[in-house]
């Protein structure tokens, strides 16, 4: 049964000072300390309330920076119950939020409060609690700026090489590469086993082995082979093992590589396990080398296509974590349902479906 996140409006005349307060009921797998995704890009029902996120008078938001949007545990969206969240994208056409929670818990989304004049988001706590070493949203769907923002406390902003372009992903923004000389580079990561890699990738070609991510002191490369199978490799390693599932060109796929700390690794494709192995490529930790997106660790094997939502975790999350990660971000997601819209100003209810 598909995980479901019911998004219901709380019909209170007070709303804790908010113009609208929505109930978020998670029906996922109960994963804790999880960065739950809310996006108008991948869910038609979320898109239907996009107008509420616009600035007043056309919408409910009063802050020019979107500060009066929060996620709370309080049924009236009171700020005292605020949970760590990130406002990754807030624009006239796209909203992408992440909040720290349990995927079958209950939370509340507040929109529009003229008393809020400072930023309520806290992405470094959000991703730190989720054991993220680096998080790149790549970055906003319209402009790839240099440096490219990174969401953890490491603030590992990158450099554009040969001007990759901004594009759209299933949940927000993406970086698109020409497969010849375009990529992003970041400072070196340093952490030991276990570790995990999550990324959306959309190759335009699989004619040759290409790397969508590279780095680490063992010169790790995260690639797609000519059969369309993602894999991880290390310099001079003879034991590279491929995913058991091939991906398609011109199709967004969520790929993950989870290393468990004992030289055993598991691949995940769209939230499902897709093969595992043990070997030297699975033993190497990240340390002190430049990290790249769109190419390998030596700026070779350039990736033709788009990459988005790259997460490097300094831990080995569970299979449920991988499943919830995909379910909350997949195209045409049903992770969130919206039943009704009520605002404190109009105090009238209208069904939107």
């Amino acid at each position: 049964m598909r995980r479901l996140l019911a998004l219901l409006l709380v019909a209170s005349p007070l709303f804790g000072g908010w113009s609208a307060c929505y109930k978020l009921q998670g029906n996922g797998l109960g994963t804790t300390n999880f960065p739950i995704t809310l996006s108008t890009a991948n869910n038609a029902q979320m898109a239907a309330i996009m107008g509420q996120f616009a600035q007043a008078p056309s919408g409910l938001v009063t802050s020019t920076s979107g500060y009066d949007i929060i996620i709370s545990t309080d049924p009236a969206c009171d700020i005292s119950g605020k949970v760590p969240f990130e406002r990754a994208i807030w624009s006239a056409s796209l909203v992408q939020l992440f909040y720290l929670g349990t995927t079958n818990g209950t939370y509340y989304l507040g929109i529009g409060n003229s008393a809020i004049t400072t930023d309520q988001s806290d992405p470094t706590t959000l991703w730190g609690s989720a054991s993220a070493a680096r998080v790149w949203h790549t970055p906003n769907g319209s402009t790839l700026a240099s440096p490219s923002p990174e969401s953890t406390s490491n603030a590992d902003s990158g450099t554009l090489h040969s001007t990759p372009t901004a594009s759209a992903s299933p949940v927000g923004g993406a970086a698109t590469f020409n497969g010849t000389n375009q990529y992003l580079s970041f400072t070196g990561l340093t952490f030991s086993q276990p570790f995990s890699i999550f990324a959306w990738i959309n190759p335009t070609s699989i004619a040759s082995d290409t790397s969508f991510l590279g780095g680490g002191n063992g010169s790790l490369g995260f690639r797609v082979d000519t059969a369309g199978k993602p894999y991880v490799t290390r310099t001079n390693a003879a034991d590279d093992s491929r995913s058991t599932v091939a991906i398609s060109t011109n199709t967004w796929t969520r790929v993950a590589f989870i290393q468990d700390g004992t030289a055993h690794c598991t691949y995940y494709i769209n939230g499902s396990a897709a093969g595992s192995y043990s070997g030297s490529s699975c033993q190497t930790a990240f340390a002190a080398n430049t990290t790249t997106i769109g190419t390998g660790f030596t700026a070779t094997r350039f990736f033709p296509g788009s990459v988005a939502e790259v997460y490097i975790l300094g831990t080995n999350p569970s299979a449920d974590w991988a499943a919830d990660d995909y379910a909350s971000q997949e195209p045409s997601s049903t992770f969130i349902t919206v039943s009704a819209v009520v605002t404190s100003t109009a105090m009238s209810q209208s069904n939107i479906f």
Side-chain angles (χ1 to χ4, degrees):
M1 180 179 180
R2 174 62 65 196
R3 308 151 192 82
L4 200 61
L5 188 65
L7 181 55
L8 303 173
L9 194 75
V10 178
S12 162
L14 298 177
F15 296 123
W18 297 86
S19 295
C21 182
Y22 297 86
K23 182 180 180 181
L24 308 174
Q25 178 59 55
N27 293 302
L29 298 177
T31 310
T32 59
N33 288 329
F34 187 87
I36 299 171
T37 308
L38 297 176
S39 176
T40 58
N42 69 333
N43 187 291
Q45 295 174 327
M46 275 294 291
I49 66 166
M50 178 69 210
Q52 304 283 22
F53 292 98
Q55 279 188 258
S58 59
L60 301 178
V61 178
T62 61
S63 167
T64 57
S65 300
Y67 289 165
D68 54 330
I69 299 170
I70 69 161
I71 309 292
S72 176
T73 57
D74 185 84
C77 289
D78 192 87
I79 199 169
S80 64
K82 183 184 65 173
V83 299
F85 75 98
E86 180 181 17
R87 192 179 52 257
I89 302 174
W90 176 68
S91 71
S93 59
L94 178 64
V95 172
Q96 182 186 15
L97 307 173
F98 296 87
Y99 66 95
L100 185 68
T102 300
T103 58
N104 61 0
T106 303
Y107 302 89
Y108 301 88
L109 166 66
I111 305 175
N113 189 331
S114 60
I116 303 298
T117 58
T118 58
D119 193 358
Q120 300 301 307
S121 67
D122 188 6
T124 59
T125 298
L126 163 68
W127 293 105
S129 298
S131 300
R134 299 293 190 277
V135 172
W136 293 290
H137 299 300
T138 57
N140 62 10
S142 61
T143 304
L144 278 177
S146 187
S148 181
E150 194 270 324
S151 296
T152 73
S153 60
N154 295 293
D156 189 3
S157 297
T159 301
L160 310 183
H161 299 267
S162 300
T163 319
T165 58
S167 55
S169 76
V171 291
T176 295
F177 308 98
N178 59 12
T180 303
N181 61 357
Q182 294 177 337
Y183 66 103
L184 306 176
S185 67
F186 304 86
T187 59
L189 310 186
T190 301
F191 57 88
S192 59
Q193 305 173 39
F195 66 92
S196 311
I197 306 294
F198 288 77
W200 281 102
I201 62 173
N202 183 3
T204 57
S205 172
I206 54 174
S208 60
D209 283 35
T210 56
S211 296
F212 57 88
L213 182 71
N217 68 340
S219 299
L220 291 172
F222 298 87
R223 299 177 181 172
V224 179
D225 70 12
T226 56
K229 294 183 177 181
Y231 71 104
V232 62
T233 185
R234 182 179 60 85
T235 300
N236 300 321
D239 60 352
D240 303 335
S241 177
R242 272 59 171 163
S243 162
T244 57
V245 176
I247 67 174
S248 301
T249 57
N250 301 306
T251 301
W252 280 104
T253 303
R254 187 66 164 166
V255 298
F257 170 86
I258 297 178
Q259 196 263 18
D260 70 0
T262 63
H264 182 78
C265 309
T266 303
Y267 293 110
Y268 288 84
I269 303 295
N270 289 341
S272 297
S276 62
Y277 77 104
S278 299
S280 63
S281 291
C282 194
Q283 297 173 20
T284 307
F286 270 79
N289 256 10
T290 297
T291 301
T292 55
I293 297 176
T295 188
F297 46 83
T298 57
T300 58
R301 299 182 181 271
F302 292 95
F303 185 80
S306 302
V307 180
E309 297 299 325
V310 178
Y311 308 159
I312 301 179
L313 310 182
T315 187
N316 55 323
S318 66
D320 284 356
W321 204 104
D324 277 341
D325 169 77
Y326 174 67
S328 66
Q329 296 191 18
E330 65 177 314
S332 303
S333 174
T334 57
F335 204 79
I336 300 169
T337 59
V338 183
S339 65
V341 174
V342 181
T343 69
S344 61
T345 53
M347 286 310 297
S348 63
Q349 180 166 324
S350 61
N351 292 325
I352 59 176
F353 304 116

